[in-house]
Amino acid sequence: HQHSDASALTLNINVNDPQEDFEGSSLYFVDQQTGKKHVVHFKPGEAIMHRGSVPHASLPITKGERRNMVLWLYGEQGQYSHFPYPSRMSAQERWKKPAEDEALPPKDN
């Protein structure tokens, strides 16, 4: 399920032991300029850091189990900037369920 995170930066660490066997579960990130998906293979002990605003997803696990520790990093006092939202907002504001008549600001093309 493709999504973006409510963070300034996301640190995703694969905590599987190297001998634990799993297949699949690569990550992809979407280039916001071209829409192209870039696949990243994620091995035990590796970490990936990315901007929370970058759309991404995990591909299906086809064998075994993958365990990750994910850390969301924020700016001063838990604030961050995240397009297309206002320039500073808290995680609580980012994740509030919008009212039906609320719409996101239009995207700049």
Side-chain angles (χ1 to χ4, degrees), residues 77-108:
Q77 299 176 0
Q79 303 284 318
Y80 68 100
S81 297
H82 191 295
F83 179 82
Y85 302 101
S87 61
R88 290 182 57 88
M89 64 185 336
S90 69
Q92 292 82 8
E93 291 168 319
R94 164 70 165 92
W95 283 103
K96 125 184 147 135
K97 183 176 179 181
E100 285 188 32
D101 59 342
E102 282 184 333
L104 292 177
K107 237 178 140 174
D108 291 337

Side-chain angles (χ1 to χ4, degrees), residues 41-74:
H41 303 288
F42 198 36
K43 298 176 184 171
E46 290 184 343
I48 295 174
M49 181 177 278
H50 62 88
R51 290 179 188 257
S53 62
V54 175
H56 60 282
S58 174
L59 298 173
I61 298 171
T62 56
K63 176 184 171 192
E65 185 176 303
R66 183 188 78 182
R67 291 187 310 276
N68 285 13
M69 178 171 61
V70 178
L71 303 171
W72 282 2
L73 307 170
Y74 297 93

Side-chain angles (χ1 to χ4, degrees), residues 34-45:
T34 66
K36 183 177 178 184
K37 294 178 182 176
H38 299 277
V39 176
V40 177
H41 303 288
F42 198 36
K43 298 176 184 171

